[in-house]
Amino acid sequence: MIKFVYCVRKKEGISDEEFYRYWKENHGPLVRSFAETMGSLKYVQSHTIDTVLNEVGREVRGMRQAYDGITEVWFESVEALAEMLLSDEGKAANKTLIEDEARFCELRECSVFLTEEHVIFDRTES
């Protein structure tokens, strides 16, 4: 299984409240509506929380400002994702999603990439 990771930056001029509401209540259901078409197995939004610990973590590492959140979408394989993206239905769904993302994201400041998970430990499992 692979994961599509999308590091999100909100569009300038949108409040944090408006950004997170739109992402969760509008874009999330839109992504869900294309789940079968796109062959996505799981979709998670992680919204950055406002805490001084974010700044502390960045300062001690010399890092730049945090993203406003991340999206993770799981797919069966790179081949399955590529096949979907090349299909007419996949192209149409992807186009619709990108157009919607442009409503609330600063696309040039976002980043996307594919990953493969390697769980080192998981203390949440019983």
Side-chain angles (χ1 to χ4, degrees):
M1 202 163 342
I2 62 153
K3 184 171 26 173
F4 175 83
V5 178
Y6 191 138
C7 299
V8 180
R9 286 227 195 272
K10 71 179 178 126
K11 194 168 203 161
E12 199 170 318
I14 297 176
S15 71
D16 288 352
E17 183 179 283
E18 182 181 1
F19 168 75
Y20 290 118
R21 183 201 56 75
Y22 187 91
W23 186 15
K24 185 176 179 184
E25 296 177 12
N26 293 82
H27 191 70
L30 182 62
V31 174
R32 185 184 314 123
S33 76
F34 289 120
E36 190 171 333
T37 298
M38 300 193 75
S40 44
L41 304 172
K42 181 177 177 181
Y43 170 73
V44 174
Q45 294 178 359
S46 296
H47 299 191
T48 301
I49 59 172
D50 185 15
T51 173
V52 69
L53 294 176
N54 289 334
E55 189 59 36
V56 170
R58 284 191 301 275
E59 282 181 11
V60 299
R61 290 171 177 84
M63 294 179 166
R64 60 184 177 167
Q65 181 182 359
Y67 286 98
D68 296 299
I70 60 170
T71 288
E72 298 168 290
V73 188
W74 283 257
F75 295 91
E76 192 61 44
S77 66
V78 171
E79 295 78 17
L81 176 59
E83 185 178 322
M84 177 280 300
L85 289 172
L86 294 173
S87 72
D88 290 340
E89 297 85 6
K91 288 177 185 176
N94 202 34
K95 181 178 185 293
T96 300
L97 292 173
I98 293 168
E99 288 170 353
D100 191 57
E101 290 160 7
R103 291 185 174 96
F104 67 102
C105 294
E106 197 63 56
L107 294 178
R108 292 185 180 267
E109 298 295 321
C110 296
S111 182
V112 298
F113 48 92
L114 296 175
T115 67
E116 181 177 59
E117 287 186 348
H118 301 274
V119 178
I120 307 306
F121 71 87
D122 185 349
R123 295 185 56 201
T124 65
E125 292 184 352
S126 306

